[in-house]
Amino acid sequence: MNDSPLTGFDVQALADSLYGLREACRSQATAEFSLPQNLATAMQAQQTLAAKEGVPGNAWKVAMSPDKHAVVAPLHPYVETSRDAELPYLPGMKFEVEIAVRLGRSLPIKSDLYSREEIYDAVSEAYLGAELLSSAIKEGGTLSFPLFVADRIGNRGYVLGPAVPKTLIDTVGEAELIVTQGGNPIYKGPAKHPVGDVLAWLVAYANDSARPKNSLEAGAIITTGALSGAMLLPGSGKVEVLLSKAYALNVVLMA
């Protein structure tokens, strides 16, 4: 038994359940889980799950809870490539195109708030990236967001693609995004972040005084949210991404 000291919740049991479902490529209903009562307990379960999965490195996704609390989860499996990558495909998997950033300097917790300008200045490089999503929870995060956080916010892989101009962080909403699979269009339209600002959720997380003290260290990769919504993939095969007619990334999903 590995209870949370705050709630008596069995963190290990939840992590074991999520791990087993992920390994079997299965999902189950929210009602079948013992639910974490809050985000702190959910993060404990997420960390335990990540340890069981052997998640290495320092690459993270940042998101926002329904009650506007910034959360993170590790990206795994994680691939860095200038053009092409291979990752496993799962039935029902979704695909997101994102902008990721690398921190050139650490962002320690401080007493006052970081400005957006400070966060932007801390970014050393920006990249075109793609996230794969598949949850062990049938309803995803719609019924219990803390449970979804424990499930690594649905992450099932990430590709860090080519570098893009850092200025694209501020101008990406003006860029055209085209995503195709097998020559068939999946998405064609503006690259649009859910809240209109690629850095918004990272700024919010940096200003969370309850985050781990060693989070957001220099060298960390942070992916910042979908520019295309979560696109349901018809199956395995090559997915081709073209941003602003200049930056390309191919992800081959292996059945």
Side-chain angles (χ1 to χ4, degrees):
M1 181 89 87
N2 182 10
D3 290 349
S4 162
L6 299 177
T7 64
F9 181 78
D10 192 341
V11 169
Q12 186 69 53
L14 176 57
D16 289 345
S17 177
L18 291 169
Y19 179 79
L21 291 166
R22 282 170 160 259
E23 286 293 291
C25 300
R26 294 178 49 242
S27 63
Q28 67 183 33
T30 299
E32 298 180 61
F33 289 94
S34 178
L35 302 181
Q37 298 95 327
N38 51 48
L39 290 177
T41 307
M43 286 300 298
Q44 292 176 14
Q46 182 198 106
Q47 291 160 6
T48 304
L49 171 63
K52 287 180 67 68
E53 292 181 308
V55 176
N58 194 20
W60 304 85
K61 67 181 292 183
V62 62
M64 188 70 71
S65 73
D67 60 354
K68 307 303 180 185
H69 190 95
V71 292
V72 296
L75 301 172
H76 179 73
Y78 171 80
V79 177
E80 291 190 12
T81 178
S82 60
R83 182 78 184 213
D84 300 303
E86 292 185 357
L87 284 173
Y89 170 77
L90 298 173
M93 180 171 273
K94 294 182 179 180
F95 187 90
E96 292 185 349
V97 178
E98 305 182 349
I99 293 293
V101 300
R102 188 186 302 274
L103 295 181
R105 61 178 175 84
S106 298
L107 295 169
I109 296 171
K110 62 176 187 173
S111 56
D112 57 337
L113 298 180
Y114 284 103
S115 68
R116 185 188 186 279
E117 182 180 7
E118 288 177 291
I119 302 300
Y120 183 88
D121 288 345
V123 170
S124 57
E125 294 96 20
Y127 303 86
L128 176 62
E131 183 180 8
L132 304 178
L133 299 168
S134 179
S135 179
I137 309 153
K138 287 184 178 179
E139 302 87 355
T142 58
L143 298 183
S144 172
F145 192 77
L147 179 61
F148 193 49
V149 168
D151 190 35
R152 293 206 287 109
I153 321 181
N155 175 260
R156 290 305 294 258
Y158 194 82
V159 178
L160 187 76
V164 300
K166 182 179 170 180
T167 54
L168 200 61
I169 290 172
D170 291 331
T171 63
V172 71
E174 303 167 11
E176 181 184 49
L177 175 63
I178 301 173
V179 183
T180 58
Q181 185 175 18
N184 298 313
I186 298 176
Y187 181 90
K188 183 176 181 179
K192 186 177 181 181
H193 189 274
V195 296
D197 181 2
V198 166
L199 290 184
W201 297 341
L202 177 54
V203 173
Y205 185 69
N207 287 323
D208 179 7
S209 60
R211 65 179 169 93
K213 292 182 179 179
N214 62 346
S215 59
L216 300 183
E217 294 186 326
I221 292 290
I222 314 291
T223 195
T224 57
L227 303 176
S228 56
M231 298 170 282
L232 182 64
L233 297 173
S236 59
K238 180 186 285 189
V239 181
E240 299 175 278
V241 177
L242 182 63
L243 178 65
S244 196
K245 300 181 180 179
Y247 311 105
L249 174 62
N250 297 333
V251 181
V252 180
L253 299 173
M254 312 296 291

